[in-house]
Amino acid sequence: MKITEIFEKQKRTFSFEFFPPKDYLTAVKFGINAGQLMKLDPSFVTVTYGAGGSTQENTFNLVDMFHNDLGFVCMAHYTCVNATREKIAYDMRTLQDMGIENVMLLRGDPPKGSDSFPENPDGFNYGSDLIRFVNENYDFCIGAGAYPEKHLEAQSEEEDLINLRIKVDAGADFLTTQMFFDNKYYWDFINKAGQKGIRCRIIPGIIPITNFKNIKKFARITGATIPEEIGKKMEPYKDDPKEIYKIGLELAIDQCRDLLDNGAPGIHFYTLNKSRAAVDLYDNLSKDFKEVKNRFEKSFSPHIPEK
Ligand code: FAD
């Protein structure tokens, strides 16, 4: 099923992002955590591609399993960094043959050890070029990335928004945001995107802070601001994982409540392949939001694969 078809039925979607486990031990942990999250009956799940050094082949294996063995609506992330048109065409056909109907198309980050993005004469240099190519040649629902605090490389917010509009015009059906910790960035971005004529859903990407040191690192890499109040609350407990978890969960509950209360079209959870924070967050949100309650209370029964 295409995610756009889910949008027709669900005003808000709740989705989880996973990355392919790297070895046997993390695969076992992944299985346990993914199993817990699947009980929450996500609207769809997504699998990252080549991010953080994970292998690209494993992304395809994992989306195959989610879709064909477990029957979940699944979206494969895909990046064009260092890929020729030929390889992209081959990979799109592979996904299509697996029955995957949803792809999150991104440019990708510069390869490890390089801080600039290499020119790619046989392929594409921007997410929008990849999106246009896939949209013109294949029948996928297409997601793309959006940056409420602007993409790190963009010279200005205005330039980034113009490029975002190009991405949507090229064929992106919806956008998912980079993580952010202060909702003012999201709402401001929604307004400005609207002014640029962007009308598709912009789903907020949320990561509950469960490890302050790691989050500070992610925030640096992605350009997300950690508000001073969060720093002040967490810094004294940075070596106390239990307290950090508690504070992080409370902050994430408040953040998601505010987003949902004010009309955000759902939440995309960056799970980091861990289940506890998302399950605890859902438990709390289920008290206020009917859609979350329904998911939280649903007892697990394996989905029936479509084919
Ligand atoms: P683009 O849209 O190509 O933009 C990159 C920069 O170029 C921006 O500064 C933009 O303003 C500028 N730009 C865009 N178009 C033009 C143009 N036509 N002319 C001039 N400038 C232009 N990375 C992975 O490796 N694997 C993943 O699975 C992954 N998943 C992600 C999921 C989400 C929801 C998000 C938000 C990001 C994800 N990323 C992933 C990270 C992403 O690859 C990086 O952020 C990357 O640097 C940008 O990709 P993009 O397609 O959004 O960039």
Side-chain angles (χ1 to χ4, degrees):
M1 183 189 282
K2 285 188 176 166
I3 291 168
T4 37
E5 290 171 57
I6 299 179
F7 289 164
E8 282 165 24
K9 294 183 219 143
Q10 297 179 12
K11 215 169 92 191
R12 291 162 166 163
T13 53
F14 296 90
S15 48
F16 297 133
E17 179 172 308
F18 297 101
F19 58 84
K22 286 179 202 144
D23 52 42
Y24 283 114
L25 195 62
T26 49
V28 172
K29 286 187 187 156
F30 168 82
I32 295 167
N33 286 312
Q36 292 296 321
L37 291 173
M38 291 316 183
K39 284 190 205 170
L40 303 179
D41 194 30
S43 311
F44 58 93
V45 297
T46 82
V47 180
T48 64
Y49 183 80
S54 61
T55 74
Q56 300 174 346
E57 188 193 340
N58 284 348
T59 300
F60 284 22
N61 292 338
L62 203 55
V63 291
D64 189 15
M65 185 193 83
F66 273 133
H67 177 71
N68 289 313
D69 297 342
L70 300 174
F72 286 95
V73 175
C74 188
M75 169 168 248
H77 292 212
Y78 188 83
T79 68
C80 60
V81 59
N82 275 344
T84 60
R85 272 161 219 249
E86 230 179 327
K87 176 171 172 14
I88 295 166
Y90 178 83
D91 287 341
M92 290 304 121
R93 281 197 303 273
T94 306
L95 289 170
Q96 220 169 29
D97 291 348
M98 270 178 202
I100 299 298
E101 293 181 88
N102 307 287
V103 282
M104 165 69 67
L105 298 177
L106 304 134
R107 185 197 65 177
D109 284 320
K112 266 213 161 77
S114 146
D115 53 6
S116 64
F117 191 78
E119 273 284 309
N120 187 356
D122 297 326
F124 304 111
N125 293 314
Y126 297 109
S128 51
D129 299 331
L130 172 67
I131 290 168
R132 191 171 301 104
F133 173 76
V134 172
N135 188 42
E136 283 171 0
N137 294 287
Y138 303 88
D139 182 23
F140 287 107
C141 161
I142 298 175
Y147 302 85
E149 296 183 61
K150 103 172 170 56
H151 186 264
L152 269 178
E153 290 164 37
Q155 297 301 314
S156 68
E157 218 176 67
E158 174 69 10
E159 176 196 302
D160 211 28
L161 282 160
I162 291 170
N163 290 330
L164 187 66
R165 171 71 199 260
I166 294 173
K167 215 148 60 165
V168 173
D169 289 348
D173 293 299
F174 73 97
L175 302 167
T176 302
T177 74
Q178 184 61 274
M179 61 165 124
F180 58 89
F181 301 100
D182 185 339
N183 288 353
K184 87 171 168 16
Y185 291 111
Y186 175 77
W187 296 120
D188 197 33
F189 179 68
I190 293 291
N191 281 335
K192 289 179 178 155
Q195 284 160 16
K196 282 276 174 286
I198 294 172
R199 302 276 173 255
C200 64
R201 288 193 190 201
I202 304 180
I203 303 175
I206 298 299
I207 188 165
I209 303 177
T210 54
N211 180 325
F212 191 48
K213 288 178 193 162
N214 283 353
I215 284 290
K216 280 207 286 195
K217 198 171 82 193
F218 280 146
R220 240 191 342 268
I221 297 170
T222 59
T225 306
I226 301 188
E228 223 174 286
E229 316 86 79
I230 296 187
K232 272 192 200 148
K233 273 189 187 164
M234 292 203 151
E235 198 66 50
Y237 301 102
K238 63 178 188 293
D239 296 316
D240 180 347
K242 278 194 183 151
E243 197 56 32
I244 289 289
Y245 183 87
K246 213 174 109 212
I247 300 170
L249 183 64
E250 278 163 13
L251 288 166
I253 293 166
D254 287 349
Q255 184 177 18
C256 291
R257 264 204 196 119
D258 176 69
L259 288 165
L260 296 171
D261 266 342
N262 288 293
I267 307 277
H268 179 69
F269 293 97
Y270 291 110
T271 70
L272 302 181
N273 287 1
K274 293 187 177 131
S275 55
R276 196 174 145 211
V279 171
D280 287 347
L281 188 53
Y282 251 62
D283 184 16
N284 279 278
L285 292 177
S286 69
K287 294 171 188 116
D288 298 335
F289 298 97
K290 191 173 83 263
E291 298 106 312
V292 181
K293 186 175 195 296
N294 290 345
R295 296 195 138 78
F296 196 71
E297 286 184 344
K298 196 173 164 133
S299 60
F300 183 63
S301 56
H303 287 49
I304 309 295
E306 282 170 17
K307 64 172 191 183

